[in-house]
Amino acid sequence: MDLAVDLANTLRPIRGEDHLDSTDALRTFLEEHLPDDQLDEPPNEHDLEAVRAVRATVREALERAAEAPELVARLVNEGLCEHRAVPQLQRDGDGWRLDNVVEGGGHAARLAVRALDGLAAVLVEYGPDRLGACASPTCRSTFADLSKNGSKQYCSRGCAHRASVAAYRSRRRSS
Ligand SMILES: [Zn+2]
């Protein structure tokens, strides 16, 4: 799940920052988010363009999940189909898990399938309300809320704190 959120958050639309703006930046992102055996060729410009397209899909799913869960399901299904992901049983410690994997395909396909799998898992286990974008109008970072009560509105403690300080100040001004 971290992968989908981290990928979406390489774009900071409010601040106008894009942290996936070069093949070097993409390489660092891949190294941080894919297992070593999935890192073969260094990414090229074509990979960068394809990953940025995947990011747009993942960000849309995260931002709109609560209001449009059907859309998220469609984006996940279409994405898994497009990248020809197939479910495979894999060893997971002493147990097993069923993962969608993609044979061949480039970096973008591998990232897409892992990110979409993460979104699907949250949708299935927790529900679409757990996916969202930070309520701070100056942030809009995406998040997946896997907490017990699931009432997260802000991406971080920092954003929640700033919002409560701002609300306090505006109450004081109006009283
Ligand atoms: Zn935030």
Side-chain angles (χ1 to χ4, degrees), residues 6-7 9 16 31-32 43 55 66 84 87 93-94 97 111 115 120 122-123 137 142 149 155 160 162 165 167 173:
D6 289 353
L7 179 61
N9 289 345
E31 284 168 359
E32 286 169 0
R55 177 178 66 183
R84 298 201 193 95
D94 290 337
R97 60 168 204 272
L111 267 190
V122 175
L123 206 67
T142 61
N149 61 5
C155 71
R162 276 189 293 279
V165 169
R173 266 198 305 274

Side-chain angles (χ1 to χ4, degrees), residues 6-154:
D6 289 353
L7 179 61
N9 289 345
T10 59
L11 186 69
R12 302 276 173 167
I14 307 287
R15 285 190 229 157
E17 293 171 11
D18 186 345
H19 299 294
L20 273 189
D21 56 354
S22 67
T23 51
D24 280 347
L26 175 56
R27 185 181 191 148
T28 305
F29 186 86
L30 293 171
E31 284 168 359
E32 286 169 0
H33 292 87
L34 288 183
D36 289 343
D37 64 355
Q38 289 197 13
L39 292 166
D40 37 23
E41 305 269 301
N44 57 31
E45 289 293 332
H46 174 78
D47 295 315
L48 181 61
E49 201 179 308
V51 167
R52 287 160 65 114
V54 169
R55 177 178 66 183
T57 302
V58 169
R59 180 169 259 282
E60 185 180 9
L62 281 159
E63 283 186 337
R64 300 194 50 202
E67 55 168 50
E70 303 294 335
L71 170 79
V72 179
R74 186 163 60 78
L75 291 175
V76 169
N77 290 341
E78 286 177 359
L80 292 175
C81 215
E82 178 192 337
H83 298 293
R84 298 201 193 95
V86 288
Q88 296 276 299
L89 270 173
Q90 319 234 46
R91 265 283 175 208
D92 185 7
D94 290 337
W96 297 87
R97 60 168 204 272
L98 190 63
D99 275 347
N100 285 310
V101 297
V102 50
E103 293 298 336
H107 296 296
R110 286 191 288 258
L111 267 190
V113 169
R114 291 174 79 89
L116 295 172
D117 247 357
L119 291 176
V122 175
L123 206 67
V124 170
E125 286 172 40
Y126 297 86
D129 295 350
R130 299 304 193 92
L131 302 171
C134 183
S136 163
T138 57
C139 177
R140 300 302 289 167
S141 280
T142 61
F143 61 79
D145 179 6
L146 307 184
S147 66
K148 218 176 205 168
N149 61 5
S151 57
K152 189 164 168 161
Q153 282 184 286
Y154 297 93

